[in-house]
Amino acid sequence: MTQALRSLSITKSEQAFCDASEAFESLNLSSGLTLEQIVSAVEEIRGRRIRIKATDRLLGTAICGLWVPGRSQEWVFHPPTPWELQRQQFILHELAHMVLGHDANSAARVLLLEGLQSLSPELVRRALMRTEFRTVEEATAEYLADLMAEALRGTPTEPGAFEEVFG
């Protein structure tokens, strides 16, 4: 169980588990999955291209992922890491927010309508830079990311397919 789910009450944890499981099933992901295929599936759901970029600006912060939704494309930023599994988890967490439609909250909607330039840094931080896992929204996204990561690990071409390599 992730830290996200341990931080919530049993009822909220169960809701996060159910919502994430339902969202994962709705993705209808095939076997032999790659991260690129998951990104493509989410692009199809969202109707926009997703761009992913490592940025040094997140180094030394508590922020491990930043999703910036937009009209024609969406951005996922994450800190550079030498570990592919950690990079995948950063990306999958932000993709999970997209699948779950977490940009429908009022602060993110304002970002979409007004643009980043006219907003205070504090509003941007609260709307998009999630560093706490004590909310149902964050727990659900993390659990969905875990389910997607598990699907990736089920293929020997992705890092972490330990069982496939070593039996």
Side-chain angles (χ1 to χ4, degrees):
M1 181 173 13
T2 65
Q3 176 186 348
L5 295 177
R6 283 193 300 268
S7 299
L8 300 173
S9 69
I10 296 299
T11 305
K12 288 182 181 180
S13 293
E14 290 169 351
Q15 187 62 52
F17 173 83
C18 290
D19 291 349
S21 297
E22 218 173 89
F24 181 76
E25 290 300 319
S26 74
L27 291 173
N28 293 318
L29 299 172
S30 61
S31 59
L33 197 59
T34 65
L35 180 60
E36 290 75 24
Q37 288 171 318
I38 293 175
V39 170
S40 292
V42 177
E43 285 176 331
E44 191 170 317
I45 290 167
R46 301 286 297 176
R48 311 185 239 324
R49 182 170 181 222
I50 297 169
R51 309 254 335 248
I52 299 168
K53 183 166 178 49
T55 177
D56 289 339
R57 290 181 175 214
L58 296 179
L59 287 173
T61 71
I63 301 162
C64 54
L66 170 63
W67 162 38
V68 180
R71 287 193 174 104
S72 61
Q73 68 183 357
E74 308 199 58
W75 285 90
V76 171
F77 297 99
H78 63 84
T81 177
W83 302 289
E84 183 59 20
L85 288 175
Q86 186 177 39
R87 177 183 172 274
Q88 282 182 357
Q89 193 68 21
F90 294 160
I91 294 166
L92 291 173
H93 181 89
E94 300 309 317
L95 293 174
H97 279 294
M98 292 179 201
V99 169
L100 295 163
H102 287 165
D103 58 333
N105 72 50
S106 60
R109 195 175 316 118
V110 168
L111 285 172
L112 290 171
L113 297 175
E114 301 293 327
L116 293 172
Q117 294 82 3
S118 65
L119 298 175
S120 73
E122 179 60 21
L123 180 59
V124 173
R125 186 191 65 74
R126 281 186 319 197
L128 297 172
M129 296 181 181
R130 295 166 294 273
T131 61
E132 293 288 326
F133 287 117
R134 294 188 182 106
T135 67
V136 173
E137 184 178 271
E138 285 303 309
T140 306
E142 188 65 14
Y143 192 74
L144 178 54
D146 289 347
L147 291 172
M148 290 188 285
E150 186 178 325
L152 281 175
R153 285 191 297 270
T155 61
T157 59
E158 289 296 320
F162 185 86
E163 293 80 10
E164 293 291 325
V165 175
F166 297 105

